[in-house]
C-alpha cells in the first residue's frame, strides 16, 4: 500500500530538548516536504526537498532542520524546541516537483512543547 | 494575508442541504487542488483543476476553476454526514512551483 509514514504520532516534550520526527514514503517519490498546521493559518510549508541531498526552505523554516540522505526518508529535526513550535505537523510527498502533481500526506504528528 | 482565501471558514448544515465553498486569490494559478482532511488524518486529494472554466464532478461534488484561474469553488449536493471534514484548496502561483494552502473550510453535516 502506497503511504507516507510519520513517527511519532504524538509527543509532549520540554523546551530545549532536541527531537526528531521521522517521515518515510514507499512510492519512490522525488519530492518531499514538511508542513505545520495551525488554527486559522492552514498548512504552511517548513522545508522541502526536490531529491536526495537537495533541500530548501519553505515559508516558516526558523527553528527547524531537515536532511535527505535517502530518497524514502525526510526527517524533521528540532534542535532546541520552543513552545511556539507546538503544532500539528505533516509530511508529504509527490512524484516530482510540479504544481499538478498530487501530494500524499502522512497522518500527522502532534507536538506539544512545554 | 493568505495567498488563497477560503470562505466560509466554518459551515454547519443539515443532511440533504446543498452548499458551496469558495477559494479566492488575486494571483493566477496554473492549477488548483482540493483536499479533504478528517480528524486525525492528513489531507487527501479530491481533485485537480487545470483549465480556466473547467468543471469536474466527483459523485455529489462539483468543482469549478474560474475563467481567469484565480478562484475555484466546490459545490456539494445533498450533503451527507460523511462529507464532514476540513476542505482545503491548494495551488502554486503561475511561474512558481511551491504549493500554497488556504486555511480551509470546516464543514459539519448534521444527521
Amino acid at each position: 500500500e502506497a503511504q507516507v509514514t510519520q513517527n511519532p504520532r504524538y509527543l509532549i516534550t520540554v523546551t530545549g530538548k532536541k527531537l526528531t520526527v521521522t517521515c518515510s514514503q514507499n512510492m519512490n517519490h522525488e519530492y518531499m516536504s514538511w508542513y505545520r498546521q495551525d488554527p486559522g493559518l492552514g498548512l504552511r510549508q517548513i522545508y522541502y526537498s526536490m531529491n536526495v541531498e537537495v533541500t530548501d526552505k519553505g515559508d516558516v523554516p526558523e527553528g527547524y532542520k531537515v536532511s535527505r540522505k535517502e530518497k524514502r526518508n525526510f526527517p524533521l529535526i528540532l534542535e532546541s524546541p520552543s513552545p511556539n513550535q507546538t503544532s500539528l505537523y505533516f509530511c508529504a510527498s509527490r512524484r516530482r516537483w510540479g504544481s499538478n502533481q498530487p501530494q500524499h500526506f502522512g497522518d500527522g504528528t502532534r507536538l506539544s512543547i512545554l | 494575508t493568505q495567498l488563497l482565501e477560503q470562505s466560509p471558514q466554518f459551515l454547519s448544515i443539515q443532511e440533504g442541504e446543498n452548499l458551496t465553498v469558495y477559494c479566492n486569490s488575486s494571483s493566477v494559478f496554473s492549477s488548483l487542488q482540493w483536499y479533504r482532511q478528517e480528524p486525525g488524518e492528513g489531507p487527501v486529494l479530491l481533485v485537480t483543476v487545470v483549465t480556466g472554466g473547467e468543471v469536474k464532478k466527483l459523485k455529489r461534488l462539483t468543482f469549478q476553476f474560474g475563467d481567469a484561474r484565480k478562484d475555484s469553488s466546490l459545490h456539494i449536493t445533498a450533503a451527507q454526514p460523511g462529507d464532514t471534514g476540513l476542505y482545503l484548496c491548494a495551488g502554486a502561483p503561475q511561474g512558481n512551483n511551491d504549493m500554497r494552502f488556504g486555511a480551509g473550510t470546516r464543514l459539519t453535516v448534521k444527521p
Side-chain angles (χ1 to χ4, degrees):
Chain A
E1 181 189 350
Q3 58 186 2
V4 177
T5 304
Q6 296 178 226
N7 280 296
R9 293 291 314 277
Y10 304 91
L11 180 63
I12 301 174
T13 188
V14 295
T15 300
K17 186 176 181 183
K18 180 179 177 180
L19 68 93
T20 299
V21 185
T22 63
C23 174
S24 181
Q25 50 94 3
N26 63 359
M27 295 167 279
N28 201 37
H29 285 172
E30 291 181 358
Y31 184 95
M32 297 184 74
S33 59
W34 276 102
Y35 295 87
R36 60 178 289 174
Q37 187 174 33
D38 301 289
L41 296 176
L43 286 155
R44 293 180 294 166
Q45 192 177 58
I46 303 170
Y47 267 94
Y48 64 94
S49 168
M50 287 195 281
N51 214 324
V52 176
E53 302 290 3
V54 182
T55 64
D56 209 345
K57 297 176 181 179
D59 293 325
V60 288
E62 294 77 22
Y64 305 95
K65 283 175 56 177
V66 292
S67 69
R68 187 92 182 274
K69 294 186 171 62
E70 308 160 283
K71 202 170 190 178
R72 64 184 292 125
N73 295 323
F74 190 44
L76 178 70
I77 303 153
L78 285 71
E79 293 270 5
S80 184
S82 62
N84 65 12
Q85 292 177 298
T86 291
S87 187
L88 180 58
Y89 291 85
F90 287 99
C91 179
S93 74
R94 61 182 193 243
R95 188 174 298 172
R96 56 183 170 274
W97 196 51
S99 62
N100 290 352
Q101 298 293 316
Q103 292 210 83
H104 299 261
F105 285 84
D107 284 337
T109 295
R110 187 167 290 282
L111 283 184
S112 294
I113 316 293
L114 305 176
Chain B
T1 308
Q2 297 267 10
L3 184 65
L4 286 163
E5 296 284 347
Q6 290 191 244
S7 61
Q9 192 176 352
F10 299 94
L11 186 57
S12 180
I13 60 171
Q14 292 294 135
E15 181 176 0
E17 292 183 10
N18 302 334
L19 66 111
T20 303
V21 298
Y22 300 93
C23 174
N24 295 303
S25 179
S26 57
S27 298
V28 176
F29 288 82
S30 54
S31 66
L32 277 177
Q33 298 179 336
W34 284 92
Y35 291 79
R36 185 169 80 199
Q37 183 180 9
E38 299 188 33
E41 298 180 9
V44 175
L45 180 69
L46 295 173
V47 78
T48 301
V49 285
V50 178
T51 307
E54 180 179 6
V55 176
K56 278 191 174 178
K57 293 198 174 201
L58 191 67
K59 296 183 181 177
R60 294 176 293 98
L61 278 59
T62 302
F63 303 85
Q64 185 160 7
F65 200 12
D67 290 340
R69 307 210 313 274
K70 293 182 178 182
D71 54 83
S72 181
S73 63
L74 158 59
H75 181 79
I76 301 179
T77 304
Q80 306 290 313
D83 295 328
T84 293
L86 179 67
Y87 288 82
L88 297 159
C89 68
Q94 204 165 32
N96 182 329
N97 275 324
D98 291 331
M99 179 113 8
R100 295 290 191 272
F101 282 80
T105 292
R106 189 166 296 281
L107 172 66
T108 303
V109 182
K110 300 175 190 172

